[in-house]
Amino acid sequence: MPKDMTETRDIFERRESEARSYCRSMPAMFASASGSNITDAEGRSWIDFLAGCSSLNYGHNDPDMKTALIEHISSDGIAHGLDLHTDTKGAFLRAFEEHILAPRDMDHRVMFTGPTGANAVEAAMKIARKVTGRTNVIAFTNGFHGVTMGALAATGNGYHRGGAGMDKSGVTRMPFDAYADGVDSAALLDQMLSDASGGIDAPAAIMFETVQGEGGLNAASPEWVKRIAEIARKHGALLIIDDIQAGVGRTGTFFSFEEMGVMPDIVTMAKSISGFGLPLALVLVRPEHDVFGPAEHNGTFRGNTHAFVTARVAIEKFWSDDAFQRELAEKAAQITRSLEQVAALVDGARLKGRGLMQGVDVGSGELAGDICARAYDKGLVIETSGNEDQVVKVLAPLTTPADTFRKGFNILLDATRDAVTARAKLAAE
Amino acid sequence: MPKDMTETRDIFERRESEARSYCRSMPAMFASASGSNITDAEGRSWIDFLAGCSSLNYGHNDPDMKTALIEHISSDGIAHGLDLHTDTKGAFLRAFEEHILAPRDMDHRVMFTGPTGANAVEAAMKIARKVTGRTNVIAFTNGFHGVTMGALAATGNGYHRGGAGMDKSGVTRMPFDAYADGVDSAALLDQMLSDASGGIDAPAAIMFETVQGEGGLNAASPEWVKRIAEIARKHGALLIIDDIQAGVGRTGTFFSFEEMGVMPDIVTMAKSISGFGLPLALVLVRPEHDVFGPAEHNGTFRGNTHAFVTARVAIEKFWSDDAFQRELAEKAAQITRSLEQVAALVDGARLKGRGLMQGVDVGSGELAGDICARAYDKGLVIETSGNEDQVVKVLAPLTTPADTFRKGFNILLDATRDAVTARAKLAAE
Amino acid sequence: MPKDMTETRDIFERRESEARSYCRSMPAMFASASGSNITDAEGRSWIDFLAGCSSLNYGHNDPDMKTALIEHISSDGIAHGLDLHTDTKGAFLRAFEEHILAPRDMDHRVMFTGPTGANAVEAAMKIARKVTGRTNVIAFTNGFHGVTMGALAATGNGYHRGGAGMDKSGVTRMPFDAYADGVDSAALLDQMLSDASGGIDAPAAIMFETVQGEGGLNAASPEWVKRIAEIARKHGALLIIDDIQAGVGRTGTFFSFEEMGVMPDIVTMAKSISGFGLPLALVLVRPEHDVFGPAEHNGTFRGNTHAFVTARVAIEKFWSDDAFQRELAEKAAQITRSLEQVAALVDGARLKGRGLMQGVDVGSGELAGDICARAYDKGLVIETSGNEDQVVKVLAPLTTPADTFRKGFNILLDATRDAVTARAKLAAE
Amino acid sequence: MPKDMTETRDIFERRESEARSYCRSMPAMFASASGSNITDAEGRSWIDFLAGCSSLNYGHNDPDMKTALIEHISSDGIAHGLDLHTDTKGAFLRAFEEHILAPRDMDHRVMFTGPTGANAVEAAMKIARKVTGRTNVIAFTNGFHGVTMGALAATGNGYHRGGAGMDKSGVTRMPFDAYADGVDSAALLDQMLSDASGGIDAPAAIMFETVQGEGGLNAASPEWVKRIAEIARKHGALLIIDDIQAGVGRTGTFFSFEEMGVMPDIVTMAKSISGFGLPLALVLVRPEHDVFGPAEHNGTFRGNTHAFVTARVAIEKFWSDDAFQRELAEKAAQITRSLEQVAALVDGARLKGRGLMQGVDVGSGELAGDICARAYDKGLVIETSGNEDQVVKVLAPLTTPADTFRKGFNILLDATRDAVTARAKLAAE
């Protein structure tokens, strides 16, 4: 490694906070990326099945977005515009309305929050509380909604919850769909809310992800989602779908809840909405619930102008007709087939998730971690999820070519085989 | 206006949330910007004395940052890297250490939080609570720290607080420096904390801005800051300085607390830290308090790679020697002189703030709003702040040329004169 | 009615708060009482199947307690002794140790809290939090633990919860035993607590009543109680049994949890512990959890000296051998038989509760209320319970003679018959 | 000591919780009491200058109350009546209306809460929150309002606050009258509440004691009380005066706030309201704020029938004309004169409190404790108060004869002299 590079490396040890994480298991210093490939400063390349945790659904540095962004910057386009009107924001909104909202009969307003998913979740929860005059938000086991104090109350993960150093309030936890054997969690929720002494305060909102990305790729059934929507309506609560990880095509449709027969009152979006991996987050809210006054929920970076440029291109390029969505269906099927091969290598393993948000529960976090570590060494970036990190999770760019998918899965198969063999050897000793 | 532009305009009415704010008093559709000037889609230009609320301290589209960013994008540099090591992050950290931290004898670690100031504040509060095992954070009248639930508890503004729709907890409010006539607020705080029945729980942190940007440009005296630092130490609390708006040169030095003889345990930064107006936020934390485990406070966009590119250039360009800081001293003096002229036009008006973060308290929000509206019509973007919006606030880019400053102030003088005259006329009727 | 009495009556309307309740459905002005009978100022008598909501388990004005109390007062015995040592407190403690704690192998310490059940619950929750350093207390659907803010958080009833006018915190609600069809609530609780992302913070305590008195006489099975005790131990939580209503012989044994194979860490007691209906409450806590410092939980009336006098007599009279307990078993069987007759009159009615804490769920609060109103008119004081007030609840003094029981049940049968007939008539119209 | 007595003594060690407190510094086992004297089981007598912490304002076992109570019990009067109408409750209410409320032009309703001061405070806070729809209650440094979670949030004492094991919410702490040198605490409160960014949420209530009994006998000036009442009205908050310790004649008038020109919206009472030291508490609330529904705030022992008997006698005996109040003025003057003699013995000592609620701040908790310990040994029961236990507090029965007062003060003088001498000796060594 050249001296300069070594020094640069040292700087992370010396000056970056211990809160850093991904770089610990994937210590390369990355320098460039294109499509589904990412390359480090020494020229080594990996296939990327992590895709910025679903923030790079269209891959790295999509050429059309790249061109548009460079052009914008070159011509002194606005880089930071607070929440002033800009031509780029207008163009994004028009594309979003034309290709996303209108075709899905969604009359939602778009609120640009601070450019993080957590900020969108905070805004959504505040809106629901302001609309209903109630405090309580129903959230679910294994849900992940961010780590700022309002959102963290809704997040299930104990490690993140502990980071707060204080109690969280305003959220009631309920079991997610199919969480506990024999428990009809929608029926239980309805019973407790209907019971005058059920002890759960009338809810402002019911909030969930249709596929729990961090929680282990638990996919709610369409029936459950529909029943929860009905329970929300029955009890005067808003339905919030947190589509930050599962949205923007990840499950095979733009929104994860399409084809489920529900219309959420509020949808939160972030991660891939900018198309290019740039920070952007937004809240979709039905007009009758668009109750914030001017700047009542504010923030300096609400609306990232560069991200508007790439987000517009992404929408026009991928969602102006149904070609891309049809491709996704094929890819999802390929992923299922490939993961079945992986699962076959591990006793008791089972597939999780849906669409392009699938994985294999290999039964233990240790094994899943070992598989991912071996995959990394072989040239594949891939990560685990789940309450015990027991799920090997494929979050490849939606645009990954079939051939790259194949190569990636071959590495994953090899890594799994090696890990299983090593484990058997260890057990035999 | 061309048809296309009208349509674009309509989209905001139709689809953007009512939470939008600045665009209401400054309805132009902005399209490009350079230095201290901003231009709308119809070609009309304004001098910018708002600078993205201090997010554009180096002006719009600084040519050196622009070049570096375009080069980065063109060469498929990483756009989104989670918290993986990247060459750009490394280069930023090295520059930040060399030109900012080391010369100021700061051994702080850098934590990249979600790219909003509020997220940095949330992380800072969580760290203090985790370090101390205590919950209570002391914050002050007129402080502004963001609107996510944890940060909002520390924010004084009642309008923002009300947006939560629920109670905030974990914060005790105290009067800021010079808040109430005859009240030594540091002494009062110390007395209440020292009193076994004072009723204020032992604090995890004392947090404040040295100049309250949103609160009306209230500048704490160096003596008060020093005493608060001592009180924090005495009572086992961490000292958090929120330098989101006042930092990055705004008060005349890189950090607002330099030359005050204090060393905060935690510093929050956002707004201008990227140099280019791109979303980026960070927390500086002394190594002994760098207690988060890996990803304990996480978020997809922690670390914005494009922002690292421009942030590095900004630091190398402006802070590698003391030339820029010396310029700032001169500019601050010019601003004071100019604002004295403005203040002279309004009975009872008085100057607020310090450095390049000064303004005039004109005594009423109505008058201040009228002045800013008239300035906008005459070609100057400028805003109010304060609990009654009574302060006309100058947040011009630090790089504003003397001539542009002069032009801007002339507009401000005209606008003030007109507003005062109109008011007198109205009163006479 | 004599003039004086009318005036006395008016005073309630004129000066007593609207919070008054029982007097609304039972408007007599009561003047004297003895055993299981209560008499109003005009000389009309009622059989009392309410017994001060289980505060008069030994009936009104037990002659032995009465004699002892009069003697104490006559001889200038201490009436109020703060928490100083008094001969009467000592004598009570000795009797309580000898006849209650020692025979049941309980090494618990006795803490005298303020003389209300709610205060005992508050103390119990505080102890559990102090012992564990955790905040979260698991409570259950339909539980009732009092209406002060700490206890109210654990109470399920929405009407009472609403009275707080603010959010309650520190409690997680779970379904009680047999709450929801097909839901094994102990298994669900264990699963959620065991799940690293279950979203329920590690509990300080699990708290419940073995028979939910206000919640509708829901009796937990011994198996469930035992499993909950194991879950508490497994997760490092204290087991709190709130025996305020179900204790002191009400279920047939002194404590309601005897013969269940569990030993609670903390037991709360109030209501009948004084024997005479005088205010007294206490917390039994295992020595290793007796962590409060002197007066850390305090209050002026902790320890009611008059109540110690009667409480000692009650214990010596009723619990020094097993004669009383054997009687209770017979009486419980008689109640079951009688209530079966009542239930037979109402379609779909079913028996609830156990021991001398039984009732009939008649399916609607309206019907149950009508039955109780008719019973009152016929000379029986009896009340409803349950989340819809749908359970007619028998809480007769444990000392009620067989003949009085018979008379009382005959009234109840008549009242039920009349109510059912009236309902049928109404339905037929 | 006879064997039986020794055994009784052991029982406290063996079975009473560590939370016991007064018995630690005053270890006698008390057995009888009359007027201002209290006698232990061995026949030793003390003059009582503690009076059950102001719960025995009419002394121990007042003969008229005693006679009435024995007669009530002998004739099988109701001992426990839930909140049913009873003749005794009616008679109490009539006497309270005629002799207390009507002459003072108070139209308040009487709510009988659970029989503890804390329960009355909890009810008061809940009422204010329900009436206003707001959460925040303003309380003050050194205030004491009880240790249940709602009341504890308002209590200033850190030791008690720590006992909760969790955060308290819903209360903002402000400096009490004359708390900090040079701080006009009423003006500061008004400024912070009037400031749109003051960061204190609009209050439901402002609550305080006019003389802080536990907090060190800090007496608010009438002017301050009046200003706080005005601030409450101005900001739409209810005025709650907690008269639990300072009421029932303790300051020289029945209520402590008489002659201050204020009419509280809510008054809390407990301690001496029963006259005899029996548990009883009540909330006085103006009719327009009497918003609880039936049993919305409930509890088994709300309304203690025995206490109604004695409370009625107390009111008729002491408050039916102004003779008693005139006596109190004389006694208060005597106390002042006597305490001046005590204060003269200690360098820097100063008098605190007013009326019959006075004491001497001797500058250190150690010295005050030593004085009280020596007084106890010489035959006087007396206690300290204050944030450092630095105030020797005289809470003698209001009925204490002049001669007994003299004897008590002589003991106190001796004890003080001895303590000061011992201290000087120690310092000299």
Side-chain angles (χ1 to χ4, degrees), chain B residues 276-339:
Chain B
F276 206 69
L278 302 180
L280 185 65
L282 49 85
V283 167
L284 304 180
V285 56
R286 302 204 71 168
E288 63 269 34
H289 302 318
D290 182 27
V291 295
F292 274 138
E296 192 169 355
H297 183 92
N298 68 354
T300 297
F301 297 118
R302 59 192 191 281
N304 176 353
T305 314
H306 284 189
F308 287 143
V309 173
T310 54
R312 178 191 52 78
V313 174
I315 284 166
E316 289 171 347
K317 177 170 178 180
F318 294 101
W319 301 99
S320 55
D321 61 30
D322 65 354
F324 186 59
Q325 185 167 326
R326 273 187 284 109
E327 261 180 56
L328 295 182
E330 285 168 40
K331 283 179 174 168
Q334 182 189 350
I335 292 172
T336 304
R337 284 190 304 273
S338 300
L339 288 179

Side-chain angles (χ1 to χ4, degrees), chain A residues 135 141-142 156-158 161 167 173 175 179-180 182-183 188 191-192 195-199 201 387, chain C residues 135 141-142 156-158 161 167 173 175 179-180 182-183 188 191-192 195-199 201 387:
Chain A
T135 298
T141 50
N142 287 287
N157 186 289
R161 294 176 69 78
D167 293 324
R173 183 81 36 196
Y179 178 73
V183 175
L188 179 62
Q191 182 178 348
M192 288 177 77
D195 186 339
S197 293
D201 296 324
N387 49 2
Chain C
T135 298
T141 50
N142 287 286
N157 185 289
R161 293 177 69 80
D167 292 325
R173 183 82 37 195
Y179 179 73
V183 175
L188 179 62
Q191 182 178 348
M192 288 176 77
D195 186 339
S197 293
D201 296 324
N387 50 1

Side-chain angles (χ1 to χ4, degrees), chain B residues 142 161 179 195-197 201 387, chain D residues 142 161 179 195 197 201 387:
Chain B
N142 287 287
R161 293 176 69 80
Y179 178 72
D195 185 340
S197 294
D201 296 325
N387 50 2
Chain D
N142 288 286
R161 294 177 68 81
Y179 179 72
D195 185 340
S197 293
D201 295 324
N387 50 2

Side-chain angles (χ1 to χ4, degrees), chain C residues 177-178 184-187 208 210 219-231 257 259-262 354:
Chain C
D177 186 24
D184 179 338
S185 64
F208 60 91
T210 66
S221 69
E223 295 69 36
W224 188 84
V225 171
K226 210 167 168 178
R227 286 171 68 202
I228 295 293
E230 281 157 13
I231 291 167
F257 52 82
E259 303 167 8
M260 284 184 168
V262 301
R354 65 185 176 88

Side-chain angles (χ1 to χ4, degrees), chain A residues 100-174:
Chain A
I100 304 297
L101 297 177
R104 291 163 182 81
D105 277 331
M106 292 172 71
D107 61 358
H108 294 65
R109 296 281 186 83
V110 182
M111 176 178 168
F112 299 105
T113 65
T116 70
N119 201 293
V121 168
E122 295 260 347
M125 293 173 81
K126 286 166 68 174
I127 290 169
R129 287 169 175 147
K130 197 177 176 201
V131 165
T132 60
R134 302 170 177 178
T135 298
N136 191 21
V137 170
I138 310 286
F140 295 89
T141 50
N142 287 287
F144 183 88
H145 304 281
V147 300
T148 50
M149 284 300 292
L152 186 52
T155 290
N157 186 289
Y159 177 61
H160 291 123
R161 294 176 69 78
M166 71 176 286
D167 293 324
K168 274 75 56 190
S169 57
V171 169
T172 295
R173 183 81 36 196
M174 291 297 296

